[in-house]
Amino acid sequence: MKFAMDVLMPLTIISLGSCLLFVSCSGAGSSGKSSGAAPAPASRQPSAQSNVEKQRQNAEQQARPEVEQQRKEAQEQTEKTLDKEAIEAINQTQKAINAIAANKTDEALSAIEQATGKINILLARNPATALIPVSLEVDVIDAAPHDIQAIRDVAKDASRAVDDKNFPAARVLLYSLMSEIRVRTYNVPLATYPTALTDAARMLDQKKTGDANNILLTALNTLAVIDRATPLPLILAREAVNTAQAQSQKDKASAQTLLETAKKEVERSKELGYAGKDQEYAALNTDINNLEKQLKGNGDVGAVFAKLKDRLGAFLKRQSSEQKSS
């Protein structure tokens, strides 16, 4: 098919990124799965995969430090939202499953009782909140082409695949249009989780350990997932504008080149579908064009740079705050 070769390389990159998803957000203290629902895995020798991930992170920090800084900030901010009571409820649920597997019904019931207690505390504290975050993953996914026309070609192929109801192919193509810092949180659904615990306890009382185990496993496997994506092109555009301002007094030609880079990255973000129909893209393009014209003169462009940076920063923040459930 026509699109197969177009996305071969991006697919390779995204597959690697997906495999490294859990490793990339790990760190000292708490992050990723280690700070959420599952207990930390037993200590073991570093794997080849973790070594590859370390090399990738080092390369990212050296080549694009602004991206790594944004990733760290996103992770730190999201970690603050994780709820200790909800995490403990998940841990106790896992303990109950382990106890059932070991035929220790009393221990399983005790763990369910403790999990229920934690959930009741959450319900009392958050009567109007449906989802409580318990775990997170943060990853940089950069699989998209740099060429604007190449992006448009892949988008057309994806649209054609959807029209043909070839959804597996469409998913592959859409993954190849990702260039973002993705923050994924796993959340306890307060509307259904307490019921699952109650049902599991009842099954155990009735000696139906298999049914109880299945109920608890389903509860753990149906945590609500919420994604937030920060477009990398907008981060790179912001950095290009900042550097252009620093260069504007001593090297206007370099500043002009950097503004062209910023303009291209803004266009990439639009074509990659990060709120692609938002009118803010046109406003950003206009501001960059005006700044390029004024740089050719001898006037003070500080205020113009400030306006562009404020607009770009606000748009980036708005994009980063949008939630997508799955």
Side-chain angles (χ1 to χ4, degrees):
M1 298 177 69
K2 175 183 180 296
F3 53 76
M5 293 304 297
D6 292 338
V7 299
L8 181 58
M9 183 58 70
L11 176 59
T12 302
I13 298 172
I14 192 67
S15 297
L16 178 61
S18 299
C19 292
L20 299 177
L21 201 57
F22 292 96
V23 182
S24 65
C25 59
S26 63
S30 63
S31 63
K33 288 289 184 180
S34 62
S35 65
S43 176
R44 60 179 180 267
Q45 293 297 319
S47 65
Q49 177 174 300
S50 63
N51 288 334
V52 170
E53 170 61 10
K54 184 176 181 180
Q55 293 173 13
R56 187 190 70 81
Q57 284 188 338
N58 289 338
E60 190 75 56
Q61 292 171 9
Q62 295 176 17
R64 299 192 298 187
E66 68 279 4
V67 172
E68 172 60 16
Q69 180 61 32
Q70 186 80 24
R71 187 201 66 78
K72 287 178 62 178
E73 290 176 4
Q75 179 171 331
E76 290 169 359
Q77 290 173 7
T78 308
E79 283 176 343
K80 295 176 183 178
T81 70
L82 301 184
D83 190 285
K84 293 181 180 179
E85 302 290 349
I87 292 171
E88 184 58 23
I90 295 297
N91 288 337
Q92 290 298 330
T93 303
Q94 184 62 58
K95 286 183 180 179
I97 292 172
N98 295 340
I100 291 172
N103 293 318
K104 297 179 179 179
T105 302
D106 290 343
E107 289 187 16
L109 283 169
S110 176
I112 291 175
E113 182 179 348
Q114 293 186 55
T116 301
K118 298 298 182 182
I119 292 294
N120 287 337
I121 292 174
L122 291 172
L123 287 168
R125 288 179 180 172
N126 309 277
T129 304
L131 302 173
I132 304 294
V134 294
S135 184
L136 68 89
E137 296 168 0
V138 183
D139 199 35
V140 176
I141 304 173
D142 194 10
H146 288 279
D147 181 69
I148 299 294
Q149 188 55 51
I151 293 173
R152 292 171 180 165
D153 290 342
V154 174
K156 288 179 181 177
D157 288 336
S159 179
R160 189 179 302 114
V162 171
D163 291 341
D164 292 341
K165 294 192 178 298
N166 188 353
F167 298 143
R171 282 192 289 270
V172 171
L173 288 159
L174 290 174
Y175 273 125
S176 75
L177 294 179
M178 295 175 69
S179 181
E180 64 192 46
I181 297 172
R182 185 178 66 192
V183 179
R184 170 167 290 179
T185 56
Y186 295 86
N187 303 263
V188 173
L190 292 183
T192 59
Y193 206 85
T195 302
L197 295 175
T198 301
D199 290 345
R202 186 174 68 253
M203 291 297 102
L204 284 177
D205 284 336
Q206 298 173 6
K207 308 302 181 183
K208 298 179 179 179
T209 56
D211 291 340
N213 186 68
N214 289 336
I215 290 170
L216 294 177
L217 282 174
T218 299
L220 288 183
N221 290 331
T222 54
L223 296 180
V225 176
I226 294 178
D227 286 346
R228 288 187 177 89
T230 302
L232 291 184
L234 292 184
I235 296 174
L236 299 176
R238 181 181 62 184
E239 184 63 20
V241 171
N242 289 339
T243 308
Q245 184 175 22
Q247 293 286 332
S248 61
Q249 297 300 317
K250 53 185 178 182
D251 190 347
K252 289 189 176 183
S254 177
Q256 291 280 7
T257 300
L258 287 163
L259 288 177
E260 281 298 314
T261 298
K263 187 190 301 183
K264 178 182 177 181
E265 292 299 337
V266 168
E267 182 70 9
R268 284 186 72 237
S269 182
K270 175 183 176 182
E271 293 297 330
L272 288 172
Y274 293 103
K277 292 187 177 182
D278 197 306
Q279 295 301 312
E280 197 67 10
Y281 283 113
L284 284 168
N285 193 60
T286 298
D287 283 354
I288 294 173
N289 286 335
N290 290 338
L291 184 52
E292 286 178 320
K293 292 177 182 177
Q294 295 194 40
L295 266 180
K296 296 176 181 179
N298 296 319
D300 184 8
V301 292
V304 188
F305 266 111
K307 177 185 176 184
L308 174 58
K309 289 165 64 176
D310 287 345
R311 184 187 292 276
L312 187 52
F315 188 42
L316 183 58
K317 183 177 180 179
R318 176 154 60 88
Q319 290 265 14
S320 302
S321 65
E322 291 182 353
Q323 297 184 6
K324 297 181 181 180
S325 299
S326 59

